[in-house]
Amino acid sequence: MIALFVRDLRLGIRAGGGALVGILFFLAVVAVVPFGVGPDLNLLARIGPAILWIGALLASLLGLDRLFQAEREDGALDVILLTEGRHMLALSVFVKCLAHWTAAVLPLVVASPLLGLFMNMDPLGIGATTLTLLVGTPAIAFIGAVGAAVAVALPRGGLLVSVLVLPLTIPVLIFGVSAAYGAVNDPDPFLPPFLILAALTLFFAVIGPFAAALALKGGAD
């Protein structure tokens, strides 16, 4: 499993520009917001957590269609489906999701404090948003594995993966933004939505790999 993690981490960094593409897309989303809402610094600070979460969510969808593509192209996926049981396949999917998150999504979390400064957010808001991104974005990778498994046999399944995954990530987005707002707005609570966000990540960490394994098995049959 360690070898699989290292292999997928290298593939994720090399394929399509890796983390650099995601960071540039993340920066582009955040950079165009002031042009749309105007130069009101108070407004930018108020909507900053939501914009960072939306940008990170959209950037996290990049590259999900390539999660199983390398194994599909070299035939390794067929060998894995024939030799591994359902539980071992789910464990392999779990490791691949962790590698994808480390290579493509973790750099977005690291870059979010700098982009928070662009949105005129205060340090507490930046810290809370970064923490919620760190806890919540792994759920996007686990959800994305299901969409990637469904569309792995399609030659151009990138758009289909995004269409399948985006609605399922809405609860993660809602509780992530709610927790970030709760940290800076005194009447709003921070801990309850943050705990729900963590619970969603743990839930999808269990359900996502098993659902992706079933989709891969079903596609092979």
Side-chain angles (χ1 to χ4, degrees):
M1 291 302 165
I2 296 177
L4 177 63
F5 177 83
V6 174
R7 171 185 175 274
D8 277 54
L9 185 61
R10 291 175 178 174
L11 288 175
I13 293 175
R14 292 201 303 260
L20 181 60
V21 174
I23 292 176
L24 291 177
F25 183 83
F26 192 15
L27 176 61
V29 171
V30 175
V32 299
V33 170
F35 295 100
V37 302
D40 189 344
L41 295 181
N42 293 328
L43 177 60
L44 290 176
R46 190 162 59 250
I47 66 174
I51 298 303
L52 290 181
W53 253 100
I54 292 173
L57 172 60
L58 296 177
S60 299
L61 298 179
L62 299 176
L64 282 176
D65 58 314
R66 297 192 299 269
L67 196 58
F68 306 105
Q69 200 63 41
E71 287 83 0
R72 176 77 179 181
E73 292 174 352
D74 61 14
L77 182 60
D78 296 330
V79 176
I80 293 174
L81 293 176
L82 290 174
T83 57
E84 291 190 358
R86 185 175 300 174
H87 292 84
M88 286 301 298
L89 180 59
L91 182 58
S92 298
V93 173
F94 179 82
V95 174
K96 290 176 70 66
C97 291
L98 289 182
H100 170 77
W101 179 82
T102 304
V105 185
L106 183 58
L108 305 179
V109 179
V110 175
S112 60
L114 179 60
L115 298 180
L117 294 177
F118 293 164
M119 299 298 295
N120 194 42
M121 295 171 58
D122 56 43
L124 180 59
I126 292 174
T129 305
T130 304
L131 180 61
T132 56
L133 287 173
L134 182 65
V135 173
T137 49
I140 301 174
F142 295 123
I143 298 171
V146 182
V150 172
V152 65
L154 302 178
R156 296 181 180 178
L159 180 59
L160 178 60
V161 173
S162 299
V163 171
L164 291 174
V165 170
L166 193 57
L168 298 175
T169 60
I170 297 302
V172 180
L173 174 66
I174 291 174
F175 288 105
V177 175
S178 298
Y181 278 139
V184 294
N185 297 323
D186 194 19
D188 299 332
F190 167 77
L191 193 57
F194 180 76
L195 291 178
I196 295 176
L197 179 66
L200 285 174
T201 298
L202 294 176
F203 174 77
F204 286 118
V206 176
I207 299 299
F210 276 101
L214 288 175
L216 290 173
K217 286 284 188 181
D221 296 338

